[in-house]
């Protein structure tokens, strides 16, 4: 567990985006291992909390929009506190500047849409299925990079992606036929896949915006969260106010509060701080391992029934995801020693001597 002092210390080292790489280099093996375990558990718990918060009701009795709105408002306040503690009144004032708010407005709106699709989808599919489907981000990202950027995948990587797709399809089809406490609908699956597409797209936008902006990270964070919260407020007023029964919050219980603070808010803090000490490879592996953890949470706490066939399909997805992630890093791996030994350029003196003899 991290104390407030530790979080503040980490936050201070992140003042600007380029501080992330420094933090990653400074972190030792134990810190990275602890971060990996913490992030993996939290991500798995987040998806399980969404289903758990519904209680015995088939759909959530709280309004989806209210959960997103409250969690983002709290994040805005956290951003203001960090900005004031790190940069004083000057940084706090930057959080309210129209230029800074406008710069991140469209990104926060798209993030809010992603949260809405995520929360709505779990009303139609269970948390385990949603977690498996979320791994399709690897496939969608590869396709987007191919179409928009011209970045090609190797033949091996395409086959791994096809294996991932087959594993996800098997998980959904077998789970639907065998039941086991799983909740499935094609509408819910469609919502989950749309959420994945949104996440892949907005991640690129956010990365570009953060690199171009020179403000301290807490300022960027709070400005992003303002538009995020504002979008969820509009959704709440329209869907649950004008088009609904007028009850903007629905029925909140202690489970809803746990979802807000231990789900959304903790997820945000982990994404912004703990994930900074992990490289991209371990971030993706963490998400893949979360598939199995969510499945066991479904079996142990959410009324699911263990099924070896469904579990095997989940394992297939996890292994395929890890294989693909590792293959993306293969270009950084040193060539084989045999290959180096057979390379004439590795022996310049011998090459020169042979040429002289000629």
């Amino acid at each position: 567990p991290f104390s407030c002092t530790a979080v503040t210390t980490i936050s201070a080292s992140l003042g600007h985006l380029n501080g992330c790489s420094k933090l990653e280099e400074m972190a030792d093996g134990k810190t990275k291992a602890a971060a990996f375990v913490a992030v993996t558990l939290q991500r798995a718990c987040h998806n399980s909390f969404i289903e758990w918060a519904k209680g015995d009701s088939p759909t959530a009795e709280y309004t989806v929009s209210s959960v997103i709105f409250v969690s983002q408002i709290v994040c805005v306040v956290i951003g203001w506190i960090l900005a004031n503690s790190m940069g004083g009144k000057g940084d706090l004032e930057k959080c309210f500047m129209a230029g800074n708010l406008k710069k991140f407005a469209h990104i926060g709106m798209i993030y809010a849409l992603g949260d809405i699709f995520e929360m709505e989808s779990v009303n139609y599919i269970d948390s385990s299925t949603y977690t498996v489907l979320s791994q399709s981000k690897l496939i969608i990202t590869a396709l987007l990079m191919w179409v928009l950027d011209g970045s090609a995948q190797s033949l091996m990587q395409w086959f791994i992606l096809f294996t991932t797709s087959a594993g996800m399809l098997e998980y959904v089809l077998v789970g639907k036929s065998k039941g086991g406490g799983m909740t499935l609908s094609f509408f819910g699956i469609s919502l989950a896949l749309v959420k994945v597409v949104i996440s892949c797209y907005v991640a690129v936008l956010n990365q570009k915006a953060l690199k171009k902006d020179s403000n301290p990270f807490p300022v960027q964070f709070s400005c992003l969260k303002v538009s995020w919260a504002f979008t969820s407020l509009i959704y709440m007023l329209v869907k649950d106010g004008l088009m609904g029964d007028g009850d903007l919050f629905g029925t909140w219980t202690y489970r809803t509060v746990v979802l807000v603070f231990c789900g959304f808010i903790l997820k945000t803090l982990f994404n912004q701080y703990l994930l900074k000490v992990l490289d991209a490879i371990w971030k993706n592996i963490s998400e893949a391992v979360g598939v199995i953890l969510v499945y066991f949470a479904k079996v142990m706490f959410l009324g699911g029934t263990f099924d070896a066939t469904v579990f095997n399909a989940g394992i297939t997805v996890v292994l395929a995801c890890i294989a693909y992630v590792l293959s993306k890093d293969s270009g950084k791996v040193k060539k084989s020693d045999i290959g180096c030994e057979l390379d004439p350029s590795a022996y310049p003196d011998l090459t020169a001597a042979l040429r002289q003899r000629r």
Side-chain angles (χ1 to χ4, degrees), residues 67-90:
V67 169
I68 301 173
F69 173 69
V70 172
S71 60
Q72 298 312 315
I73 284 295
V74 174
C75 288
V76 170
V77 175
I78 291 176
W80 291 342
I81 293 174
L82 290 175
N84 185 64
S85 62
M86 292 167 52
K89 187 178 179 180

Side-chain angles (χ1 to χ4, degrees), residues 10-87:
I10 295 176
S11 305
S13 67
L14 291 175
H16 293 278
L17 188 64
N18 57 12
C20 298
S21 58
K22 294 180 180 179
L23 180 60
E24 183 177 327
E25 293 173 359
M26 292 167 54
D28 57 17
K30 291 183 179 180
T31 302
K32 290 182 177 181
F36 176 80
V37 173
V39 168
T40 302
L41 290 175
Q42 198 285 323
R43 283 184 168 178
C45 289
H46 172 72
N47 293 341
S48 299
F49 281 148
I50 295 177
E51 182 177 356
W52 173 74
K54 295 188 299 184
D56 297 327
S57 175
T59 59
E61 295 184 355
Y62 55 83
T63 61
V64 167
S65 55
S66 66
V67 169
I68 301 173
F69 173 69
V70 172
S71 60
Q72 298 312 315
I73 284 295
V74 174
C75 288
V76 170
V77 175
I78 291 176
W80 291 342
I81 293 174
L82 290 175
N84 185 64
S85 62
M86 292 167 52

Side-chain angles (χ1 to χ4, degrees), residues 127-322:
S127 57
S128 180
T129 303
Y130 171 80
T131 307
V132 170
L133 291 174
S134 66
Q135 301 310 305
S136 62
K137 67 184 176 61
L138 298 177
I139 304 168
I140 294 173
T141 301
L143 291 173
L144 287 175
M145 291 175 60
W146 184 33
V147 173
L148 301 177
D149 193 35
S151 302
Q153 306 291 317
S154 67
L155 182 61
M156 177 185 68
Q157 289 169 342
W158 279 120
F159 271 103
I160 295 175
L161 290 174
F162 292 149
T163 303
T164 305
S165 303
M168 289 189 294
L169 183 61
E170 179 187 4
Y171 186 94
V172 171
L173 294 178
V174 173
K176 185 174 181 62
S177 63
K178 294 201 173 186
M182 298 178 66
T183 306
L184 296 171
S185 80
F186 287 107
F187 180 67
I189 292 173
S190 300
L191 291 175
L193 292 177
V194 171
K195 195 275 179 188
V196 174
V197 174
I198 291 174
S199 297
C200 295
Y201 175 66
V202 76
V204 177
L205 293 180
N206 190 38
Q207 185 179 19
K208 289 182 178 179
L210 290 175
K211 286 183 177 180
K212 292 180 180 180
D213 187 68
S214 59
N215 285 305
F217 183 77
V219 176
Q220 300 172 336
F221 177 75
S222 64
C223 291
L224 175 68
K225 292 297 181 179
V226 166
S227 61
W228 200 327
F230 184 70
T231 303
S232 60
L233 174 62
I234 294 177
Y235 179 71
M236 180 169 63
L237 294 174
V238 174
K239 178 180 179 290
D240 302 307
L242 297 177
M243 300 176 60
D245 57 3
D247 188 358
L248 299 182
F249 287 85
T251 303
W252 275 49
T253 65
Y254 75 95
R255 295 190 181 199
T256 316
V257 176
V258 171
L259 171 62
V260 168
F261 286 91
C262 298
F264 281 94
I265 296 175
L266 197 60
K267 173 187 173 184
T268 298
L269 295 176
F270 275 30
N271 283 343
Q272 303 302 338
Y273 298 115
L274 287 185
L275 283 180
K276 301 304 179 184
V277 305
L278 297 175
D279 58 26
I281 299 297
W282 288 105
K283 290 177 186 178
N284 286 287
I285 291 177
S286 171
E287 292 184 0
V289 173
V291 170
I292 300 303
L293 296 180
V294 173
Y295 179 74
F296 278 116
K298 172 71 177 176
V299 172
M300 297 173 64
F301 305 111
L302 299 174
T305 304
F306 180 81
D307 184 274
T309 308
V310 177
F311 177 74
N312 181 66
I315 288 290
T316 301
V317 174
V318 171
L319 295 180
C321 289
I322 293 176

Side-chain angles (χ1 to χ4, degrees), residues 88-106:
K89 187 178 179 180
D91 279 2
L92 182 60
E93 291 177 350
K94 292 180 181 179
C95 297
F96 300 93
M97 290 183 178
N100 293 334
L101 292 171
K102 184 178 179 181
K103 191 179 302 182
F104 291 95
H106 65 293

